[in-house]
């Protein structure tokens, strides 16, 4: 136990000695004057700062005066090497006097400045041209998509649906209004992440517009329903497949308004009136539009 205590005390004393050495080193080299040292380093060129950072490790092996002399000598050597390289460059270019060399350096600096300015202007010009081309392509694409019609919109929606990973189905069991939907409508709402009540509002809006005009285009449905265009297209396709509305290629006649239930009822076998949805019955009253409503179970 005594030897173990001696070892612990020796480790502790070594820690104290190293702490005192670092403290004395900081005070001796003036490292506490951080702002002053930082200002001096900022005034130096970048290559000199990098060189001094590389030789700072030798400061622990030398005294303050020795390290200052060493760093000064290294910087002088670096300056002399740069000057020798500059004179060799002048000689290769046929310059034999210091006056010609000064003129050469001045013209070289001007050339580099003009080159940098030209490159910067070229980069700005290329960026502006790219923005103009991008804006023009977007405008042309918008014009083409607007004139393509419902077929192109349907093809684009189908392509996006096939290339994009389908999201997980939404659990709408127990949601408000779930008992007013048929099984197919429940599955549609689950896939499109739409709760029953908003879906019923969408359904009433589209069917009312169809009953009023006798036809309903996909673009008109998107104008009426301000939600995701893909969801609106899916709902529109579902209504067409269910027979509740008909596509504009086969327009239906507007539903008649009558003064009695007999006058407002559709004729037998009339293909212009949409069939009732599963779980729905057709309800017609005097002076009202004929559209499907939920049957009371």
């Amino acid at each position: 136990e005594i030897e173990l205590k001696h070892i612990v005390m020796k480790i502790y004393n070594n820690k104290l000695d190293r702490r005192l050495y670092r403290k004395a080193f900081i005070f001796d080299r003036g490292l506490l004057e951080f702002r002053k040292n930082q200002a001096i380093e900022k005034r130096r060129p970048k290559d000199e700062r990098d060189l001094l950072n590389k030789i700072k490790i030798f400061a622990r092996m030398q005294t303050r005066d020795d390290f200052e002399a060493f760093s000064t000598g290294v910087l002088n050597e670096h300056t002399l090497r740069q000057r020798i390289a500059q004179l060799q460059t002048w000689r290769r270019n046929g310059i034999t006097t210091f006056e010609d060399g000064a003129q050469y350096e001045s013209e070289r600096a001007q050339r580099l400045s003009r080159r940098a300015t030209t490159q910067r202007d070229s980069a700005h010009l290329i960026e502006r041209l790219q923005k103009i081309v991008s804006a023009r392509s977007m405008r042309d694409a918008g014009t083409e998509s607007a004139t393509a019609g419902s077929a192109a919109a349907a093809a684009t929606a189908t392509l996006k649906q096939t290339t994009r990973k389908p999201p997980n189905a939404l659990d709408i069991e127990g949601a408000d209004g779930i008992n007013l939907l048929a099984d197919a409508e429940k599955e549609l709402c689950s896939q499109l992440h739409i709760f029953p009540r908003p879906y019923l509002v969408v359904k009433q809006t589209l069917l009312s517009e169809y009953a009023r005009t006798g036809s309903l285009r996909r673009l008109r449905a998107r104008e009426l329903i301000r939600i995701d265009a893909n969801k609106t297209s899916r709902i529109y396709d579902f209504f067409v497949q269910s027979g509740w509305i008909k596509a504009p290629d086969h327009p239906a006649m507007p539903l008649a308004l009558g003064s009695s239930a007999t006058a407002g009822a559709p004729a037998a076998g009339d293909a212009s009136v949409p069939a009732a949805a599963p779980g729905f019955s057709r309800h017609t009253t005097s002076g009202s539009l004929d559209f499907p409503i939920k049957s009371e179970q």
Side-chain angles (χ1 to χ4, degrees), residues 162-177:
T162 55
T163 57
R164 185 169 53 190
K165 182 179 179 181
N168 297 328
L170 178 66
D171 185 11
I172 59 174
E173 293 297 332
D176 185 22

Side-chain angles (χ1 to χ4, degrees), residues 54-109:
K54 291 180 180 179
I55 65 175
K56 277 182 180 180
I57 190 174
F58 298 106
R60 300 177 58 183
M61 307 174 188
Q62 299 173 335
T63 62
R64 180 176 183 177
D65 297 336
D66 292 342
F67 179 73
E68 288 182 356
F70 172 70
S71 60
T72 302
V74 171
L75 292 177
N76 290 336
E77 179 187 1
H78 179 69
T79 303
L80 289 175
R81 288 181 180 274
Q82 286 184 334
R83 183 60 175 173
I84 292 172
Q86 184 184 40
L87 293 176
Q88 290 176 350
T89 303
W90 289 1
R91 176 173 292 182
R92 285 194 300 267
N93 293 326
I95 299 174
T96 56
T97 61
F98 289 108
E99 290 79 6
D100 294 341
Q103 183 179 358
Y104 168 77
E105 292 296 334
S106 177
E107 293 177 355
R108 180 172 175 270

Side-chain angles (χ1 to χ4, degrees), residues 14-29 31 60:
N14 289 335
K15 290 286 186 180
L16 292 179
D17 293 340
R18 293 176 60 184
R19 185 181 300 174
L20 290 175
Y21 172 77
R22 289 193 295 267
K23 184 177 180 180
F25 181 84
I26 291 173
F27 281 105
D28 182 58
R29 305 304 169 90
L31 299 180
R60 300 177 58 183

Side-chain angles (χ1 to χ4, degrees), residues 127-138:
E127 184 179 359
R128 290 181 59 186
L129 290 176
Q130 289 178 351
K131 290 182 178 180
I132 293 174
V133 171
S134 177
R136 182 175 299 176
S137 61
M138 291 178 61

